[in-house]
Amino acid sequence: MTFFLENIWIWIGLASIVGVLGYITFLNDRRLQTLGITVGLTVAVLAVGLSLYYFVDTDRKSITRMLEGLAATIERNDLDGVLEHYVSPRAKRTRSLAQGNMRLVRITSARFRDLKVEVNQLTSPPTAQVSFTATLFWLAQNRADFPTEQAIPQIVKFNVELEKGPNNSWLVTDQCEFTPNAIGR
């Protein structure tokens, strides 16, 4: 079911099929009523699909928004925001890692791709296994330690467990593995 809620191209394809089949029927019977029904059905299928795609939230969409928000918060160098909104209060190791890394480096750009999400609703709270590749650009917080004027690019592969928190938000747990310089992995 989530396949139909997360893929707009399915709905565009279904609307196209309805339109083509209706037009073929119109070519056979040459009745304007057939053409009107075809247009109506095509528009209805497209409207239902677009409504479902844009207005029904899924775990994958929620996790994607969470990762986008996390990236923006990291780019603002907002450690408190990262810890408060994106890391589980029980994730002591991840909190410590975030504090240490954000004191050493400043991320100027964070983007992710190749997102894979597997949600397990049977755990309490529900969890999600998430993997993605991030492209980061960073500078040292203390330029005396690592003097450079341009941000340094780095590709990092992440495998993270998220847990559903309050208000159906997703939070990073201590199951957070990352591989820097993950080119070709």
Side-chain angles (χ1 to χ4, degrees):
M1 181 63 175
T2 59
F3 180 72
F4 289 100
L5 300 174
E6 294 174 349
N7 192 337
I8 197 165
W9 293 107
I10 292 297
W11 293 101
I12 293 171
L14 287 173
S16 299
I17 290 169
V18 168
V20 167
L21 291 176
Y23 186 69
I24 290 170
T25 304
F26 167 73
L27 290 177
N28 285 331
D29 70 10
R30 299 282 184 198
R31 293 183 359 198
L32 286 178
Q33 182 181 8
T34 303
L35 191 57
I37 291 171
T38 297
V39 169
L41 285 174
T42 302
V43 169
V45 168
L46 196 54
V48 166
L50 291 174
S51 295
L52 289 173
Y53 179 77
Y54 285 108
F55 297 115
V56 175
D57 201 16
T58 64
D59 287 327
R60 181 182 176 81
K61 290 179 189 177
S62 180
I63 289 169
T64 300
R65 277 194 315 276
M66 173 269 199
L67 290 173
E68 289 167 348
L70 175 59
T73 305
I74 289 171
E75 288 175 359
R76 287 192 310 271
N77 204 30
D78 181 3
L79 175 60
D80 293 334
V82 168
L83 298 177
E84 181 179 337
H85 299 291
Y86 301 104
V87 181
S88 171
R90 297 188 315 243
K92 304 296 185 212
R93 188 177 65 83
T94 300
R95 288 176 163 277
S96 175
L97 191 61
Q99 289 169 336
N101 283 331
M102 288 184 78
R103 285 190 180 107
L104 291 176
V105 298
R106 165 134 175 44
I107 305 293
T108 60
S109 174
R111 302 289 177 262
F112 65 92
R113 65 181 189 279
D114 303 329
L115 178 64
K116 293 177 184 71
V117 175
E118 242 180 78
V119 177
N120 184 353
Q121 295 289 351
L122 300 176
T123 58
S124 181
T127 57
Q129 298 299 320
V130 178
S131 67
F132 58 93
T133 302
T135 303
L136 309 171
F137 286 81
W138 61 271
L139 292 166
Q141 288 283 24
N142 184 353
R143 297 276 175 95
D145 292 340
F146 198 84
T148 181
E149 294 299 317
Q150 287 190 317
I152 298 168
Q154 188 165 25
I155 297 174
V156 183
K157 177 73 177 156
F158 285 89
N159 291 303
V160 180
E161 180 183 74
L162 305 177
E163 67 182 22
K164 201 167 245 188
N167 303 323
N168 287 326
S169 61
W170 289 95
L171 302 171
V172 178
T173 68
D174 267 342
Q175 302 300 316
C176 179
E177 299 173 1
F178 57 95
T179 308
N181 299 322
I183 297 174
R185 291 189 182 146

